[in-house]
């Protein structure tokens, strides 16, 4: 797990310390007044983000005290928190320690902003600041090198990191120059990196770097450019080393035209991977595969579209990009950002596949010979063969719906309107999953590139969807690492769900029981951690209740509380069941479908509905509550509801019953005169928790089932408060004379009106006489707050 991931999981300062100790591989560690001590380096750590100067003030207080005691002090000092780290050679701090004008506190814990301001002139220009999210690799390397060699070693600029270094230079330096043409950034960037701070390492460059005293000034086309702010410039060059090594310089200059600022619009179209998310993907690849992965791996993107995934790649001579449409090939070949890459037209789901499902490149001769040789060498495990990384964002749609392919991936290896592909012909044994285009890509990749690494953007269906179980029996790759991002980051995708960028090792047979990821929002910012389980930890909640069988007594199929379904065709809820008092809608077993949960007084045409009886009412209340208490989000919407892992108390059961009875999706009602299928129907409401006298009803309730059922129950203070406030609203309803319009709209023609009718009638009557719902809402919110964490504690959803 990367340092970023460890810090995201950290809950205490000790967790932060341990994360850094692990990431840096520190030896001989001692924790005391100085948070982390080794002979070579001392650390001051904070759990929450803290200004570096304030942390250095505290650390230097300890250093000064140790020096006065004649103790050995380390060669390096570092301050750390969950977001950043700053590294400094101790030599730079010596003048501060000898400055007698500075008033030092008696203990490090007393170090404050005044001391931080006093030390700022001495240290601010000497420490190197690393934002861990962006510079984890650079920080770890610099710190390890400092410990090993006794000096801070800056990160080299190489062909592998050129694109990302350039993008960061633009963010930290280029934007401060006030250039009018963004195309000039690349020219100015090379003038900067080909300079050691005193002399130019290469001459005859279009732009020059000069110095006005210590201030850098750029000269281009006879114009001078000054930095509006120098802070980013100096911090940038504390992280990176310049000039690049001689062996790289001419190659880097050849790549200059590829460093034109990337215009997102250039890549947008029907299939688009946002570039800020691509940047996250490259950071993930570096953390997972190592900082030199771009030079170590042959990369093949077989659904490249117009090349979004390769926009951040710096070593394109190792990259192969294929796509279905010739127009996209033309676009990519004309883009200088992809100079050096091998680009070709290829239909990955149809080309070079024999009638027996085997791969034969001679059928089309489209695959470059160099890529064929690399694939063969990798399959045979030849000594010196470069490993292959498949880097893709395939389409997410089903083959039969290809004309509505989701716009999150590159163009598919499938022509519009074609429901079958050649690769799918051998996938019948995989059931439903075989219809998914991205699964068809995986099926060929497993066969063609069995020793490769795979880094893929896709939905999480192949990880945990129930109808992908057959595919998962074959998907035995080792999970390495990854993240998930909100689907809204991808233009054109409908819905709210996670898109994963997961990295797999196909050569290892280690089926992952779970996939742990960090989650980022559509802007790419961290929001949470989340685990996706390959198989449910327990049986699904949908199978928890024994569903009563229907009898031959006709029932009224409802499409909401009091409105019969409009059609008589294919109605699944036309029959009743012995002892039934209502029915519950429970379509689906995941959070995505939780909002469909509802309670009705009669039948419903939903295949997932079940009849509620006296015997299963306690379970119905729990299922209803569990499914509605947790709000579905883009991140949890595929999480499966599970049967409980712990025993359930009577208090929990009664709390859930009350929560269900007063929920907005309790659609039970009492009404006469409902017309359906050439017949007049009535609804009897069995879900009234009060007697007629308690609420001042002027007529008898046909059913007193709920009062009898609740007799003798003990209710928690939170549930009792809901009952008390609900009773007041019920009483107000029965004390109110509603106008004809409200009576007719809500079918208020019986005494046993349901909670749906009562609250809607009081709300509608608010134009004339306002009803104060606030006390009830407060009581209901308190009960909700009590129950919500118990959904996880009792195992109905995984933590």
């Amino acid at each position: 797990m990367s340092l970023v991931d460890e810090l995201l999981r950290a809950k205490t300062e000790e967790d932060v310390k341990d994360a850094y100790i692990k990431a840096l591989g520190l030896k001989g560690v001692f924790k005391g007044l100085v948070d982390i001590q080794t002979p070579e380096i001392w650390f001051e750590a904070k759990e929450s983000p803290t200004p570096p100067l304030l942390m250095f003030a505290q650390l230097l207080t300890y250093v000064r005290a140790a020096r006065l005691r004649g103790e050995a002090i380390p060669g390096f000092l570092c301050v750390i928190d969950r977001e950043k780290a700053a590294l400094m050679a101790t030599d730079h701090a010596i003048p501060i320690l000898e400055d007698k004008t500075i008033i030092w506190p008696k203990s490090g814990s007393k170090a404050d902003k005044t001391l931080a301001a006093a030390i700022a002139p001495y240290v601010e220009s000497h420490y190197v600041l690393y934002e861990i999210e962006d510079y984890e690799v650079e920080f770890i390397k610099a710190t390890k090198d400092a410990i090993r060699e006794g000096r801070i070693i800056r990160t080299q600029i190489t062909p592998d990191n050129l694109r990302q270094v350039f993008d960061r230079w633009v963010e930290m330096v280029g934007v401060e120059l006030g250039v009018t043409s963004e195309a000039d950034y690349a020219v100015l960037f090379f003038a900067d990196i080909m300079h050691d701070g005193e002399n130019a390492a290469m001459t005859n460059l279009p732009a020059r770097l000069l110095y006005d005293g210590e201030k850098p000034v750029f000269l281009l086309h006879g114009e001078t450019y000054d930095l509006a702010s120098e802070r980013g410039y100096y911090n940038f060059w504390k992280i990176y080393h310049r000039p690049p090594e001689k062996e790289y310089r001419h190659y880097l200059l050849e790549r200059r035209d590829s460093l034109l600022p990337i215009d997102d619009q250039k890549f947008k179209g029907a299939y688009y991977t946002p570039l800020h998310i691509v940047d996250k993907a490259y950071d993930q690849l570096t953390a997972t595969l190592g900082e030199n992965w771009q030079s170590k791996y042959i990369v093949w993107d077989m659904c490249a579209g117009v090349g979004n995934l390769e926009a951040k790649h710096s070593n394109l001579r190792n990259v192969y990009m294929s796509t279905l449409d010739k127009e996209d090939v033309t676009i990519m070949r004309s883009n200088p950002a992809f100079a050096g890459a091998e680009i070709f037209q290829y239909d990955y789901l149809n080309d070079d596949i024999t009638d027996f499902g085997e791969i034969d490149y001679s059928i089309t001769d489209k695959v470059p010979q160099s890529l064929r040789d690399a694939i063969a060498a990798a399959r045979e495990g030849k000594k010196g063969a470069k490993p292959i990384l498949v880097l893709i964002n395939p389409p997410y749609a089903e083959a039969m719906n290809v004309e509505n392919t989701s716009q999150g991936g590159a163009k598919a290896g499938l022509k519009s309107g074609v429901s079958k592909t050649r690769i799918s012909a051998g996938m019948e044994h995989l059931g439903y999953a075989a219809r998914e285009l991205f699964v068809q890509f995986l099926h060929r990749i497993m066969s063609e590139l069995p020793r490769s690494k795979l880094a893929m953007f896709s939905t999480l269906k192949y990880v945990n969807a129930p109808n992908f179980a057959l595919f998962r029996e074959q998907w035995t790759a080792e999970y390495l690492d990854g993240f998930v991002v909100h689907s809204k980051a991808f233009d054109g995708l409908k819905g709210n769900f996670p898109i994963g960028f997961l990295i797999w090792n196909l050569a290892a047979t280690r089926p992952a029981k779970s996939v742990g990821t960090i989650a980022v929002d559509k802007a790419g910012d961290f929001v949470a951690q989340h685990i996706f389980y390959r198989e449910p930890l327990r049986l699904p909640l949908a199978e928890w209740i024994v569903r009563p069988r229907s009898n031959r007594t006709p029932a009224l199929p409802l499409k909401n509380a009091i409105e019969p379904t409009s059609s008589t065709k294919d109605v699944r809820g036309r029959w009743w069941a012995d002892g039934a008092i209502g029915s519950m809608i429970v379509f689906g077993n995941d959070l995505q479908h939780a909002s469909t949960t509802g309670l009705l007084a009669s039948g419903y045409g939903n295949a997932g509905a079940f009849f509620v009886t006296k015997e299963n009412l306690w379970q119905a209340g729990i299922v209803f509550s569990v499914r509605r208490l947790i709000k579905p989000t883009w991140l949890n919407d595929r999480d499966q509801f599970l049967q409980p892992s712990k025993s359930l108390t009577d208090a929990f059961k009664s709390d859930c019953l009350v929560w269900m009875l007063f929920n907005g999706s309790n659609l039970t009602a009492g009404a006469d005169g409902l017309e359906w299928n050439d017949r007049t129907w009535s609804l009897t409401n069995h879900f009234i928790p009060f007697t007629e006298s308690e609420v001042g009803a002027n007529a008898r309730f046909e059913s007193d089932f709920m009062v009898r059922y609740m007799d003798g129950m003990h209710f928690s203070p939170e549930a009792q408060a809901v009952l008390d406030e609900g009773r007041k609203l019920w009483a107000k309803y029965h004390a109110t004379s509603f106008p004809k319009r409200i009576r007719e709209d809500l079918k208020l023609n019986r005494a046993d009106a349901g909670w749906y009718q009562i609250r809607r009638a009081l709300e509608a009557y608010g134009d004339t006489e306002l009803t104060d719902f606030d006390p009830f809402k407060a009581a209901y919110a308190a009960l909700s707050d009590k129950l919500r964490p118990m959904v996880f504690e009792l195992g109905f959803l995984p933590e």
Side-chain angles (χ1 to χ4, degrees):
M1 185 179 296
S2 69
L3 175 57
V4 170
D5 293 340
E6 293 281 4
L7 292 175
L8 291 174
R9 295 176 183 269
K11 296 180 180 179
T12 66
E13 185 176 300
E14 286 302 313
D15 293 340
V16 171
K17 295 178 192 178
D18 291 341
Y20 279 94
I21 291 170
K22 178 182 176 182
L24 295 170
L26 297 177
K27 306 297 182 183
V29 172
F30 176 76
K31 295 179 181 180
L33 284 177
V34 176
D35 288 326
I36 303 172
Q37 284 181 266
T38 76
E40 302 87 3
I41 186 168
W42 287 4
F43 294 80
E44 176 63 29
K46 300 294 181 187
E47 185 277 327
S48 59
T50 305
L53 279 172
L54 197 57
M55 290 190 282
F56 271 120
Q58 186 169 345
L59 183 55
L60 286 170
T61 301
Y62 298 131
V63 173
R64 178 176 177 272
R67 191 163 179 257
L68 290 174
R69 292 193 299 266
E71 298 175 3
I73 58 175
F76 295 92
L77 304 174
C78 191
V79 297
I80 55 178
D81 62 29
R82 65 168 58 248
E83 292 182 352
K84 62 187 176 296
L87 181 65
M88 180 177 69
T90 309
D91 286 347
H92 296 306
I94 300 301
I96 315 169
L97 305 179
E98 296 176 347
D99 188 338
K100 296 182 180 180
T101 65
I102 296 178
I103 301 174
W104 293 90
K106 293 182 179 181
S107 67
S109 62
K110 301 294 184 182
D112 56 13
K113 293 181 180 178
T114 302
L115 180 58
I119 70 170
Y122 294 91
V123 304
E124 200 163 22
S125 61
H126 292 297
Y127 67 74
V128 185
L129 182 65
Y130 300 89
E131 297 290 343
I132 299 301
E133 184 177 8
D134 295 325
Y135 291 101
E136 173 183 341
V137 173
E138 291 85 350
F139 165 71
I140 292 174
K141 184 177 186 302
T143 306
K144 288 183 175 180
D145 289 344
I147 293 171
R148 184 179 64 253
E149 301 192 22
R151 60 191 178 93
I152 297 177
I153 300 175
R154 294 173 172 83
T155 300
Q156 291 282 350
I157 301 173
T158 69
D160 278 351
N161 65 11
L162 178 65
R163 175 81 242 182
Q164 287 184 292
V165 172
F166 171 72
D167 288 344
R168 287 169 180 168
W169 182 90
V170 172
E171 294 172 4
M172 299 174 70
V173 180
V175 293
E176 302 293 341
L177 291 173
V179 298
T180 55
S181 172
E182 292 188 354
D184 290 337
Y185 281 146
V187 180
L188 295 166
F189 169 71
F190 277 99
D192 201 6
I193 70 170
M194 297 300 178
H195 202 287
D196 64 6
E198 294 182 1
N199 300 294
M202 298 190 75
T203 57
N204 301 320
L205 296 177
R208 295 178 62 194
L209 173 60
L210 307 173
Y211 280 88
D212 181 5
E214 295 185 356
K215 182 179 180 181
V217 178
F218 291 86
L219 181 64
L220 177 63
H221 306 318
E223 298 285 336
T224 59
Y225 295 91
D226 297 317
L227 291 161
S229 170
E230 299 172 28
R231 183 171 184 175
Y233 182 86
Y234 290 121
N235 201 66
F236 182 86
W237 287 119
K238 290 176 185 176
I239 297 173
Y240 294 104
H241 174 79
R242 63 175 179 172
E245 296 292 336
K246 287 184 179 180
E247 61 182 299
Y248 297 139
R249 292 177 192 173
H250 287 286
Y251 173 79
L252 295 177
L253 282 174
E254 291 173 7
R255 297 280 298 143
R256 190 186 74 193
D257 288 344
S258 72
L259 296 184
L260 295 175
I262 296 175
D263 178 5
D264 277 26
Q265 296 302 320
K266 181 186 298 182
F267 293 100
K268 285 190 177 180
Y271 306 90
Y272 170 68
T273 311
L275 295 177
H276 68 288
I277 301 301
V278 174
D279 207 26
K280 290 284 183 185
Y282 272 64
D283 287 342
Q284 184 68 68
L285 286 165
T286 299
T288 306
L289 303 180
E291 59 182 300
N292 296 318
W293 70 271
Q294 293 190 35
S295 61
K296 292 178 180 176
Y297 285 85
I298 296 291
V299 175
W300 186 8
D301 181 353
M302 58 278 293
C303 44
V306 291
N308 300 77
L309 284 186
E310 288 66 47
K312 299 288 184 177
H313 209 289
S314 299
N315 195 349
L316 287 168
R317 291 180 180 178
N318 286 342
V319 174
Y320 295 84
M321 304 161 68
S322 61
T323 190
L324 176 66
D325 287 346
K326 291 182 179 179
E327 295 85 351
D328 287 344
V329 172
T330 302
I331 291 171
M332 287 192 289
R333 285 178 175 170
S334 66
N335 190 339
F338 302 131
E342 188 78 47
I343 302 169
F344 58 103
Q345 186 277 329
Y346 199 66
D347 184 345
Y348 192 71
L349 301 186
N350 289 293
D351 283 345
D352 293 336
I353 302 171
T354 70
D355 292 340
F356 301 99
E358 298 172 342
I359 308 300
D360 181 356
Y361 298 125
S362 66
I363 296 177
T364 67
D365 274 331
K366 291 179 180 180
V367 176
Q369 187 62 47
S370 57
L371 178 56
R372 298 189 207 183
D373 294 341
I375 292 172
R379 285 182 67 100
E380 296 168 12
K382 284 187 177 180
K383 186 176 180 179
K386 284 194 172 185
I388 294 177
L389 170 68
V390 176
L391 179 62
I392 54 171
N393 185 357
Y396 311 145
E398 297 176 16
M400 65 175 59
N401 297 322
V402 67
E403 293 181 339
N404 295 317
T405 299
S406 300
Q407 300 178 9
K411 289 193 175 179
L414 189 64
K415 296 179 181 179
S416 177
V418 178
S419 61
K420 289 285 187 179
T421 64
R422 289 190 66 82
I423 197 66
S424 71
M427 297 174 62
E428 295 87 351
H429 61 292
L430 299 181
Y432 177 88
R435 294 156 50 180
E436 294 277 350
L437 295 184
F438 81 92
V439 172
Q440 294 183 20
F441 275 88
L442 292 180
H443 186 70
R444 174 167 172 176
I445 289 166
M446 285 189 289
S447 171
E448 184 177 15
L449 304 161
R451 298 174 65 89
S452 65
K453 300 287 197 309
L454 168 71
M456 179 175 70
F457 282 100
S458 73
T459 66
L460 277 297
K461 291 179 180 179
Y462 73 118
V463 173
N464 67 349
N467 53 9
F468 278 65
L470 290 175
F471 174 75
R472 280 195 293 277
E473 291 178 7
Q474 294 193 354
W475 183 249
T476 59
E478 176 188 19
Y479 174 65
L480 299 180
D481 211 343
F483 65 86
V484 293
V485 59
H486 192 176
S487 59
K488 291 300 183 184
F490 296 78
D491 286 356
L493 276 182
K494 297 179 180 178
N496 289 283
F497 53 90
I499 296 294
F501 180 74
L502 308 184
I503 304 174
W504 304 87
N505 178 15
L506 272 62
T509 304
R510 295 190 185 93
K513 292 183 179 179
S514 62
V515 169
T517 68
I518 63 168
V520 299
D521 60 19
K522 63 182 180 181
D525 297 325
F526 169 79
V527 292
Q529 297 168 331
H530 203 74
I531 297 176
F532 299 89
Y533 293 92
R534 181 184 179 99
E535 302 297 340
L537 299 174
R538 289 175 300 285
L539 292 172
L541 185 62
E543 299 176 7
W544 191 44
I545 295 178
V546 177
R547 296 167 179 251
R549 300 186 63 176
S550 59
N551 54 29
R552 302 308 294 176
T553 302
L556 173 63
L558 295 170
K559 65 179 181 180
N560 60 27
I562 52 177
E563 188 175 356
T565 185
S566 57
S567 173
T568 59
K569 296 180 180 179
D570 191 31
V571 176
R572 300 181 182 181
R574 67 168 67 229
W575 306 112
W576 203 232
D578 294 344
I581 57 173
S583 65
M584 185 177 291
I585 312 163
V586 285
F587 183 68
N589 190 59
D590 54 22
L591 272 159
Q592 178 187 10
H593 296 98
S595 60
T596 64
T597 311
L599 185 64
L600 295 168
S602 187
Y604 181 75
N606 179 291
F610 66 88
F611 294 108
V612 179
T613 66
K614 178 181 179 181
E615 288 70 30
N616 68 17
L617 177 57
W618 69 274
Q619 288 177 296
I622 291 170
V623 169
F624 182 100
S625 301
V626 163
R627 285 174 59 95
R628 297 207 69 102
L629 273 163
I630 305 302
K631 181 180 179 181
T633 68
W634 69 268
L635 184 55
N636 69 15
D637 80 324
R638 299 303 198 264
D639 287 357
Q640 300 291 314
F641 289 106
L642 307 171
Q643 294 185 21
S645 59
K646 298 179 182 178
S647 59
L648 307 178
T649 65
D650 289 340
F652 178 73
K653 297 174 183 178
S654 59
D655 279 353
C656 287
L657 177 63
V658 172
W659 198 88
M660 175 181 72
L661 292 176
F662 289 90
N663 185 267
S665 290
N666 171 6
L667 305 180
T668 55
D672 290 330
L674 303 180
E675 301 291 333
W676 183 76
N677 198 22
D678 299 325
R679 177 179 163 183
T680 301
W681 301 74
S682 294
L683 293 178
T684 299
N685 183 10
H686 298 280
F687 291 85
I688 303 175
F690 309 115
T691 64
E692 294 90 341
S693 60
E694 285 182 287
V695 297
N698 57 9
R700 179 176 176 273
F701 298 156
E702 186 169 333
S703 170
D704 65 347
F705 170 85
M706 193 57 62
V707 171
R708 288 185 288 105
Y709 184 85
M710 294 169 62
D711 185 37
M713 280 189 179
H714 295 285
F715 296 101
S716 67
E718 294 85 358
Q720 189 61 56
V722 171
L723 286 168
D724 292 342
E725 294 300 331
R727 186 185 300 105
K728 294 175 185 177
L729 294 174
W730 225 288
K732 178 154 189 176
Y733 166 83
H734 284 285
T736 302
S737 297
F738 294 100
K740 182 179 180 181
R741 176 182 58 82
I742 295 176
R743 296 198 311 271
E744 290 183 349
D745 287 347
L746 295 173
K747 304 293 190 294
L748 305 182
N749 49 33
R750 290 170 59 118
D752 57 353
W755 176 237
Y756 168 85
Q757 295 163 298
I758 286 170
R759 70 175 190 278
R760 293 289 297 271
L762 292 173
E763 289 168 354
Y765 198 52
D767 293 340
T768 304
E769 181 179 344
L770 292 176
T771 299
D772 185 5
F773 285 92
D774 288 346
F776 168 79
K777 290 179 179 179
Y780 194 77
L783 179 59
S784 301
D785 291 342
K786 176 188 177 184
L787 288 172
R788 196 168 288 114
M790 298 178 74
V791 174
F792 299 98
E793 293 168 7
L794 296 173
F796 290 103
L797 282 173
E799 290 281 357

